[in-house]
Amino acid sequence: MSSMKGDDDTISMPPLNMATIESFGEAVLAEFFPEALKQPMPVDLLHLVDEVLPRYGIHVTPASAVEMGDNLGLTDPSGTLSIDVLLLDDLWDQLLVGGPIANRARATVAHELGHCILHVPVIRKRRASPYGQHLLARVAREEVPAFKCAEWQAWALGGCILAPRRTINMVSNPTVAKLANIYQISISMMQQHLRRLRISVPGM
């Protein structure tokens, strides 16, 4: 299986700025979970995984630590139609339980969904190119600007899906902790997300 993840290297992607990524996030929510654009609330990722994403050809399934290696989630860009996403079985169990214990699982699923939307189509197109091997070469992350980095883009889109700017702006007297609690993500992820959005609140 081809992994879309990597701590030290990445695939250089077409450049995307935050405004574009935010528009992708809003489009995803409008299609998959429009309630999350109306008021501050956590996205029901378990419902998306079980009921919604399979209708769009995205299938998320648990996998053992042996299969996953050091990865929490893996997106397989092979094929031409459906997309398979593997989630470490411990995280899958946490997603089923819900609550704060599921924060990491929710972030991982949103991140992999970012890869499905932004990068799988690009990779499939590049594989059909005579220059595919060059276009798909993995490079050190420090050599790639953030706006071209597949991992940065996927985390940015994942954040916009989980906590869209539109509803963040509806929260009265926001703090990092308050926002993290509303959207059911970790304080660390919320801090990073707010920095990308250039929103400053107490607790940054």
Side-chain angles (χ1 to χ4, degrees):
M1 174 171 8
S2 300
S3 168
M4 285 295 308
K5 287 188 65 74
D7 292 329
D8 300 319
D9 57 14
T10 188
I11 299 172
S12 182
M13 287 288 166
L16 291 173
N17 59 31
M18 274 306 298
T20 301
I21 290 173
E22 284 188 69
S23 68
F24 273 113
E26 290 225 345
V28 169
L29 289 174
E31 182 71 20
F32 292 165
F33 199 70
E35 301 95 316
L37 291 173
K38 298 174 183 176
Q39 61 182 335
M41 64 185 299
V43 173
D44 188 347
L45 280 183
L46 186 58
H47 171 70
L48 292 188
V49 165
D50 281 344
E51 304 293 338
V52 180
L53 295 181
R55 300 201 300 264
Y56 292 82
I58 299 173
H59 304 279
V60 182
T61 56
S64 70
V66 173
E67 294 175 272
M68 298 297 287
D70 295 330
N71 300 291
L72 301 179
L74 290 171
T75 296
D76 182 3
S78 64
T80 57
L81 296 174
S82 64
I83 304 171
D84 292 319
V85 175
L86 297 183
L87 185 67
L88 184 65
D89 52 13
D90 286 350
L91 293 189
W92 180 268
D93 291 342
Q94 293 168 12
L95 190 64
L96 295 178
V97 172
I101 195 175
N103 284 356
R104 196 177 192 188
R106 290 168 51 76
T108 302
V109 170
H111 174 80
E112 296 304 323
L113 182 55
H115 281 312
C116 292
I117 294 166
L118 297 177
H119 304 135
V120 169
V122 174
I123 289 175
R124 289 176 172 177
K125 183 176 180 179
R126 287 179 177 180
R127 280 187 171 157
S129 165
Y131 306 102
Q133 185 173 0
H134 171 72
L135 292 171
L136 294 173
R138 298 191 75 93
V139 295
R141 289 187 67 172
E142 60 266 22
E143 296 179 8
V144 181
F147 60 90
K148 287 187 175 183
C149 174
E151 295 304 311
W152 183 90
Q153 291 179 356
W155 280 119
L157 180 54
C160 291
I161 292 169
L162 293 173
R165 180 193 297 270
R166 181 188 301 200
T167 62
I168 289 175
N169 288 337
M170 298 176 188
V171 178
S172 60
N173 303 314
T175 66
V176 172
K178 182 177 182 179
L179 292 171
N181 182 62
I182 290 172
Y183 295 104
Q184 294 183 10
I185 60 178
S186 70
I187 287 177
S188 174
M189 183 177 182
M190 180 56 73
Q191 288 173 328
Q192 294 169 14
H193 180 51
L194 292 173
R195 290 190 189 104
R196 285 190 291 262
L197 295 178
R198 298 186 178 180
I199 296 174
S200 180
V201 302
M204 294 288 288

